[in-house]
Amino acid sequence: LFMEYTCSHLICFSPTRSSHLIGEKIMYGIGSERTGKTDLTYEGLRKPLRIRNEIVVIAVPVYGGRVAATALERMELVRGEQTPAVLVVVYGNRDYDDALLELKDWSVAHGFCPIAAGAFIGEHSYSREHFPIAAHRPDGQDLTEAVDFGRKIRHLVETGAEGWGELVVKGNYPYKVNGPKTPQTPQTDQAVCTLCGFCSEICPVQAISVQEERIVSSAEACIKCCACVKQCPVHARIFNTPYTEMLFQKFSARRAPELFFPQR
């Protein structure tokens, strides 16, 4: 049966590159002859993307226990035709709550057949030097587990001629309801900033701009992925929130990836 799926395709939304990296390692483990990638981090699709005879890996971050809303918006034009899909959510060591179930429901509604799913850990967007939350993850151990997950998926496809069975994942419906968006947004230490514009380039929602020799951030557009904070070459971007210390105190213990396969 694997010969029917000689191609695999990664679809991801990954402002801090954690979901992208996990997805690539899973693809490596699957070991398809040919691979494709649709990275929706910086812009959505302009026309429908229909995927047929490929194994699709969909990797997205978790924000507040749900799939990142921007990811769902940008994947809206993606369609499958009972295409086998591997569902991956990456969360910051607190919990992924209903995100994996939400992604599963989305995939079925868009024509995919979920055959495996995983919740992996990435460094929390709010993690800082003095209050690290899953710092430097995914690390070597995580990536090894992602590759091994991909190999198990390959075996599943190779031996799945009689059907894969139902995939059951953790989560509840109705999904978790998050509170109103806080007005806080990363700010710039203008004394340190060199006006290189890199933060504006990597912002996935174009919330940062250079105006009159100052970096200006839009609190309304910002999704608090903190890609600008983590990747500023001179560390001029700052995001101070009391949630960082709270998360550090309550969710510093290492959590392991959780993997789900069909029930036969």
Side-chain angles (χ1 to χ4, degrees):
L1 185 65
F2 189 76
M3 294 302 294
E4 298 180 16
Y5 299 104
T6 58
C7 302
S8 57
H9 194 114
L10 173 62
I11 298 173
C12 66
F13 173 77
S14 188
T16 58
R17 313 317 290 161
S18 295
S19 301
H20 180 273
L21 182 56
I22 290 291
E24 282 198 327
K25 291 300 181 181
I26 294 170
M27 294 265 288
Y28 178 81
I30 293 173
S32 301
E33 293 179 9
R34 290 178 293 163
T35 60
K37 179 167 65 176
T38 300
D39 188 340
L40 300 173
T41 303
Y42 299 109
E43 62 179 355
L45 295 169
R46 298 182 180 179
K47 59 182 180 180
L49 172 65
R50 189 169 293 276
I51 303 175
R52 296 179 176 87
N53 298 321
E54 301 181 57
I55 300 172
V56 177
V57 177
I58 304 172
V60 294
V62 176
Y63 293 165
R66 298 281 300 275
V67 175
T70 307
L72 293 177
E73 292 169 6
R74 294 184 181 177
M75 293 193 300
E76 183 54 37
L77 294 179
V78 177
R79 292 292 186 278
E81 296 182 1
Q82 288 302 297
T83 309
V86 179
L87 312 176
V88 181
V89 297
V90 179
Y91 70 103
N93 210 59
R94 184 194 64 81
D95 204 331
Y96 57 94
D97 294 301
D98 303 328
L100 201 51
L101 177 62
E102 183 179 20
L103 185 60
K104 178 193 171 185
D105 292 344
W106 175 93
S107 71
V108 172
H110 284 73
F112 293 94
C113 176
I115 62 169
F120 286 80
I121 294 84
E123 180 173 316
H124 198 287
S125 296
Y126 294 178
S127 177
R128 298 294 179 263
E129 181 180 359
H130 299 297
F131 298 114
I133 311 154
H136 310 302
R137 295 185 72 183
D139 55 20
Q141 182 177 337
D142 293 313
L143 300 182
T144 296
E145 292 189 54
V147 172
D148 185 58
F149 182 44
R151 289 175 178 149
K152 290 178 180 176
I153 292 163
R154 180 186 177 108
H155 177 74
L156 178 72
V157 174
E158 288 177 334
T159 59
E162 298 180 359
W164 289 296
E166 182 184 3
L167 179 68
V168 177
V169 300
K170 288 169 58 175
N172 296 291
Y173 185 85
Y175 311 130
K176 178 183 177 184
V177 177
N178 290 316
K181 187 176 180 180
T182 63
Q184 285 181 302
T185 186
Q187 300 298 315
T188 302
D189 184 341
Q190 305 291 349
V192 176
C193 178
T194 63
L195 293 173
C196 69
F198 185 65
C199 57
S200 178
E201 293 175 10
I202 64 170
C203 177
V205 291
Q206 295 79 52
I208 306 171
S209 59
V210 182
Q211 300 179 17
E212 298 180 356
E213 297 189 356
R214 293 180 65 86
I215 298 294
V216 178
S217 302
S218 167
E220 182 177 347
C222 179
I223 59 173
K224 300 177 179 61
C225 68
C226 292
C228 60
V229 177
K230 295 180 183 295
Q231 299 181 50
C232 175
V234 294
H235 308 291
R237 292 289 286 177
I238 303 166
F239 186 50
N240 293 322
T241 166
Y243 290 112
T244 294
E245 185 173 358
M246 181 274 291
L247 290 165
F248 168 74
Q249 292 174 349
K250 294 185 177 181
F251 304 106
S252 289
R254 183 182 181 92
R255 297 191 67 171
E258 295 182 31
L259 308 177
F260 301 86
F261 295 95
Q263 298 180 348
R264 294 187 175 180

